[in-house]
């Protein structure tokens, strides 16, 4: 089978190709272009980019595309001077084409497009009819036009000669924009769909193509003169249709089907060599009256269609003599689109998971095939994918030094989409040495891999092949002998002996063996391999250039085993004798290691005398690999207490795969956070460890009821706190954070967290949940904590802990109060302009849903939209929201040229789409350690950060400076705030000439603010004796940027603009606190918080882990020093849904750093 490629477009507009001989998606060149769809042929691919322009991709080959340009020089004999360029008025042009009707001077022959280049200069063709002419290449005749001869005769009154110049098509393996020579008045409007075919029309010249397109106004166009010598064609010609078309498909022969707005299909008849555009249309009714045809695809002898309810249909009886077919047959599956390629093979894109499917079993005798099978090929970049996430590169750093402009930051719809599914783990073999005792804790972190336990080896025994068998032996023999095989382990018999000493020094060896064995055998225990890009979402697929013969073996449905290519190559070069010696050596080393480890486990017998407590139950676990669904599991929480009274716990999760019992476990002393994930369908929560945090791939569990979930959360949270010996209320210097769902988390800072020499990785920080529901929380080191809800209500922390879903022993009995919050749920009504009826709710098949969320990827109607979770209840009806960014007209509509684009509140001639935001309020009632601060609604709040060295750091009686911005943009100063009275006494209004959006006060009473127009301001003369200051100083914003947030530490000032760029204010000194200039630090930032030690923490917009991408991740700036306040890099912590962080209370650092930085800060005075 000759090698050919399958073309596809993902949701980000990137074009990929997949070879029939390969198993990796390769990213197409010119990645700066984003495409809506493509249509492929054998040697080329046509596409429509997001700018609605048509592009052509010609595949490179050994034979170049050359075209010859000809021009004729004509002369007439004159009795006075012989042959000259002076012709009669009735003669042709002195320089013309072969017919003489068109003027064609040599300097007037231009290249048809920038994608061509001249091979040489003009030269005379001295051959005529295969014979050489006399010098000069002239041919003679009696008159124009006549029969020319190469010999001059007595009656030869005219002569001509041919000039030749060759041009070559140079845009190979690159996207070339198709030019248009049409009259500007007759230019087609932007195209919506495009299809290539017709290269196998009976007696059609080789290289001839039929390119059809559909415009946004529903017209059908045909590209003239597309052939191999002229791959771009010449012009577009309009083909009349009886209705408005939305989509078109052209087969390799003479089949042409068109989808109409009304859901019917048109079939073009009369297509042949002499008339490639056909002669007439025939109408084909949809399969049902309720759901019309949304998408159709034609092949050589087959037609497939997708109706508006995503059902797939096959057209029976289609052939060249009967292009309309006879009847529809419904097929299994739901697709967004299908594509029929060469040999009538079929591909499709699933409607839910957006995966590419291939129809198996398609033969000339059975064109409908048998079943759909997903293509799980990885990306080309995954070949060199590294599992390490300790560096910026392996962590997938999306930060950069370049400044993002407005066009770059105008977030696309897909960027705002929430993560629904996560990819399966990568099949990579461990690269650990045989003796892994040097890093027992590191191996232990790998133990809780989802499904990654040693029993996975029972599914697929390792084949008897040199390197792989040795790999299995080197890993499998590391398991301690007392452990029973997983296949024999019954659920009711939990072996409590081995894990009871998990916190002791010898338990590290146990964790090491369990973690290493589970990781080592993990790639060999899967029947369905999977890769890191299973989550990749596709928008379009084209198999017009992909030749798959019936019964051929493809590598698309399997992913390479865990061994890297270099290891595989190495294993092939080892001789059998070397392999035998290697196996013997490995066996000896493993035997010695097993004896050594058994010695460490001998004292485990005394663990029987320790107290052990076990709680079992039934939950659901999200299987991150195929079949990507919730699986019923049994869980067992085992808690044991040592002789010293220390408690530790292990969570076992038992599940069944392919009728085989398996389990994996998680040490709760390694758990860093438990996050409730509330929605209308599941009562679920996510469990993170440092390893899971680096992977961006948590363990997700779900309970049947909300009470059951709260019980497990409280129990697991209490066990995690007991393992880490954390009890009671948070310390005054705790770090606070809020998720995008309003959940509040707090972390106790370690002295090594901000150490300069040995930083504690922030993915090892432990976060525990506080009750309540907030949007913003701010704190300082004297224990004053304020928060703001989604309804702009201000709340103050009461000193309790727990509440909400954290009940029982994990919650305090006092200082817990009822708290409510109100938020608006927004959906969008989308419409597209129709030349007949104007704006209607009938969109294109590729458009977003006519009722959708802000991204357009999820269908959200008024009837189907539910509150965020079962805890929320509706408190209002749907109403039009006129306060959306960009403005609206009187009816609330926003207009744009296409979905998605930049929306504005007025209509122009180029606006083909519009949308309107509908909102509905819902209310949540919960409890937590918070008291309401009435009566002013706030939008932002800032409390002065106080370091231990500050003049007021030890004065409990001093008032604490607290500033805020109301929801209307007024700047306020709170008076009377102290440790004993965190609520304060009254508000002091600060005059401004425009509404503000953000405010921040530094440790030295430097007050900065940001107005709603994006400009920055500095408030002068703010001090304890003059808390309101005297006047505002305007600070210019960074060039072409609008600021949205500011944060001030002890000496540093950071600001964030609307495009996610983080800026540092340079030149700030005690004598000139306004600073001199803005210096760019990074992009990809959503929120920034600067602490009393000038430490910088942010919420990053995107962070790539080893197994997934997370949006909303806690990140810390590393390398921040007095002489380098901007820092050097980023350290990644917990993430995936975080929206706010405050480190302004954390003044904890090592004593060595305190003395060192006191000297460095000696020149800075507050």
């Amino acid at each position: 089978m000759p090698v050919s490629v399958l073309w596809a477009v993902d949701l980000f507009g990137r074009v990929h190709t997949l070879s029939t001989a390969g198993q990796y998606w390769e990213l197409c060149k010119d990645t700066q272009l984003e495409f809506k769809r493509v249509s492929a042929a054998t040697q080329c691919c046509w596409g429509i980019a997001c700018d609605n322009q048509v592009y052509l991709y010609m595949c490179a080959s050994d034979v170049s595309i050359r075209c010859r340009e000809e021009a004729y020089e004509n002369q007439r004999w004159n009795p006075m001077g012989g042959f000259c360029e002076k012709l009669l008025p009735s003669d042709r042009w002195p320089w013309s084409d072969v017919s003489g009707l068109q003027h064609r001077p040599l300097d007037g022959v231009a290249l048809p497009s920038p994608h061509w280049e001249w091979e040489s200069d003009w030269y005379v063709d001295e051959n005529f009819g295969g014979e050489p002419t006399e010098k000069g290449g002239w041919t003679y005749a009696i008159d124009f036009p006549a029969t020319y001869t190469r010999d001059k005769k007595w009656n030869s009154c005219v002569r001509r000669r041919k000039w030749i110049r060759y041009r070559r098509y140079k845009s190979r393996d690159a996207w070339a924009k198709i030019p248009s020579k049409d009259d500007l008045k007759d230019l087609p409007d932007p195209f919506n769909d495009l299809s290539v075919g017709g290269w196998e029309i009976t007696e059609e010249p080789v290289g001839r193509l039929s390119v059809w397109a559909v415009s946004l106004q529903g017209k059908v166009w045909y590209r003239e003169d597309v052939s191999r010598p002229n791959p771009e064609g010449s012009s577009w010609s309009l083909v009349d249709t009886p209705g408005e078309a939305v989509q078109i498909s052209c087969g390799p022969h003479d089949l042409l089907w068109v989808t109409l707005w009304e859901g019917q299909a048109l079939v073009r008849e009369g297509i042949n060599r002499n008339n490639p555009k056909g002669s007439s249309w025939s109408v084909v009714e949809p399969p049902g009256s309720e759901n019309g045809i949304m998408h159709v695809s034609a092949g050589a002898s087959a037609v497939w269609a997708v109706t508006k309810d995503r059902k797939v249909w096959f057209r029976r009886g289609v052939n060249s003599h009967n292009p309309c077919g006879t009847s529809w047959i419904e097929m299994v599956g739901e697709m967004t689109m299908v594509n029929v390629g060469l040999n009538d093979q079929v591909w499709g894109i699933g409607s839910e998971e957006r995966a590419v499917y291939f129809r198996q079993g398609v033969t000339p005798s059975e064109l409908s095939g048998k079943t759909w099978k997903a293509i799980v090929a990885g990306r080309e970049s995954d070949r060199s994918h590294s599992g390490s996430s300790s560096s910026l590169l392996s962590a997938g750093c999306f930060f950069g030094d370049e400044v993002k402009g407005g066009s770059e930051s105008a977030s696309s719809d897909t960027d705002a989409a929430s993560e629904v599914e996560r990819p399966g783990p990568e099949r990579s073999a461990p690269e650990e040495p045989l003796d892994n005792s040097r890093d027992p804790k590191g191996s232990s972190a790998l133990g809780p891999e989802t499904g990654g336990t040693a029993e996975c080896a029972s599914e697929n025994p390792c084949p008897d092949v040199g390197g792989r068998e040795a790999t299995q032996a080197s890993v499998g023999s590391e398991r301690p002998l007392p452990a029973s095989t997983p296949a024999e382990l019954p659920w009711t018999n939990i072996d409590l002996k081995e894990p009871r000493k998990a916190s002791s020094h010898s338990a590290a060896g146990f964790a090491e063996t369990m973690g290493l064995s589970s990781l080592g055998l993990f790639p060999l225990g899967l029947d369905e391999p999977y890769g890191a890009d299973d989550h990749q979402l596709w928008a379009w697929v084209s198999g017009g250039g992909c030749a798959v013969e019936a019964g051929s073996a493809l590598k698309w449905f399997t992913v390479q085993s865990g061994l890297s290519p270099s290891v595989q190559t190495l294993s092939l070069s080892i001789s059998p004798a070397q392999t035998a010696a290697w196996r013997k050596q490995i066996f000896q080393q493993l035997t010695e290691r097993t004896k050594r480890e058994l010695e460490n486990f001998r004292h485990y017998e005394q663990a029987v005398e320790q107290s052990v407590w076990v709680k079992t139950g039934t939950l659901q676990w999200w299987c991150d690999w195929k079949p990507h669904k919730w699986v019923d599991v049994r869980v067992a929480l085992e808690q044991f207490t040592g002789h010293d009274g220390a408690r530790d716990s292990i969570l076992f999760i038992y599940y069944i795969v392919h009728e085989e019992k398996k389990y994996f476990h998680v040490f709760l002393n390694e758990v860093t956070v438990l996050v409730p994930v509330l929605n209308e369908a599941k009562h679920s929560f996510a469990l993170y460890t440092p390893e899971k945090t680096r992977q961006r791939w948590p363990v997700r569990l779900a309970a049947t009821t909300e009470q059951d979930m709260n019980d497990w959360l409280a129990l697991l949270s209490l066990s995690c706190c007991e393992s880490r010996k954390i009890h009671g209320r948070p310390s005054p210097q705790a770090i606070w954070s809020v998720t995008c769902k309003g959940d509040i988390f707090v972390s106790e800072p370690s002295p090594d967290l901000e150490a300069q020499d040995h930083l504690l990785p922030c993915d090892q920080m432990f976060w525990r949940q506080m009750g309540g529901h907030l949007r913003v929380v701010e704190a300082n080191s004297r224990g004053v904590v304020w928060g703001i809800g989604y309804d702009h209500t201000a709340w103050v922390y009461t000193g309790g802990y727990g509440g909400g879903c954290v009940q029982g022993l994990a919650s305090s009995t006092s200082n817990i109060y009822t708290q409510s919050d109100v938020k608006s749920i927004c959906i969008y009504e989308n419409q597209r302009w129709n030349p007949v009826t104007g704006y209607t709710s009938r969109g294109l098949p590729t458009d977003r849903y006519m009722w959708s969320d802000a991204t357009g990827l999820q269908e959200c109607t008024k009837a189907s939209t539910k509150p965020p979770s079962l805890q929320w209840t509706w408190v209002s009806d749907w109403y039009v929201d006129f306060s959306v960014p960009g403005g609206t007209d009187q009816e609330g509509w926003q207009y744009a040229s296409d979905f998605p684009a930049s929306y504005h509140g007025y209509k122009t001639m180029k606006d083909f789409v519009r949308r309107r935001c509908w909102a509905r309020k819902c209310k949540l009632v919960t409890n937590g350690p918070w008291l309401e601060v009435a009566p002013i609604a706030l939008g932002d709040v800032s409390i002065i950060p106080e370091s231990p060295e500050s003049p007021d750091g030890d004065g409990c009686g001093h008032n604490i400076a607290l500033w805020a911005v109301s929801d209307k943009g007024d700047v306020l100063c709170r008076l009377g705030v102290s440790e004993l009275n965190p609520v304060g006494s009254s508000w002091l209004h600060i005059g401004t000439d425009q509404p503000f959006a953000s405010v921040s006060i530094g440790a030295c009473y430097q007050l900065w603010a940001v107005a709603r127009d994006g400009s920055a301001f500095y408030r002068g003369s703010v001090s304890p004796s003059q808390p309101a200051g005297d006047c505002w100083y305007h600070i210019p914003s960074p060039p072409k940027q609008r600021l949205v947030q500011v944060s001030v530490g002890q000496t540093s000032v950071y600001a964030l603009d609307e495009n996610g760029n983080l800026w540092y204010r340079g030149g700030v000194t005690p004598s000139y606190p306004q600073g001199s200039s803005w210096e760019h630090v990074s992009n990809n930032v959503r929120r920034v918080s600067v602490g009393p030690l000038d430490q910088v923490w942010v919420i990053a917009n995107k962070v790539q882990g080893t197994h997934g991408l997370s949006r909303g991740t806690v990140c810390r700036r590393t390398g921040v020093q007095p002489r380098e306040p901007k820092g050097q890099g980023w350290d990644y912590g917990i993430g995936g849904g975080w929206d706010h962080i405050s480190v302004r209370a954390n003044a904890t650092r090592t004593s060595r750093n305190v003395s060192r930085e006191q000297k460095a800060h000696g020149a800075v005075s507050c």
Side-chain angles (χ1 to χ4, degrees), residues 859-882:
E859 184 177 14
C860 300
T861 63
K862 291 183 179 180
S864 64
T865 301
K866 301 293 189 299
S869 70
L870 300 178
Q871 297 177 328
W872 294 81
T873 57
W874 294 119
V875 293
S876 73
D877 292 329
W878 291 102
Y879 62 91
V880 177
D881 187 2
F882 294 91

Side-chain angles (χ1 to χ4, degrees), residues 198-209 226-229 272-274 276:
W199 59 85
E200 293 184 3
I201 295 179
T202 305
E203 299 181 355
E204 183 73 11
V206 177
R208 182 72 176 268
L209 283 178
V226 179
S227 60
R228 177 172 177 79
N272 52 49
R273 175 186 178 184
N274 298 324

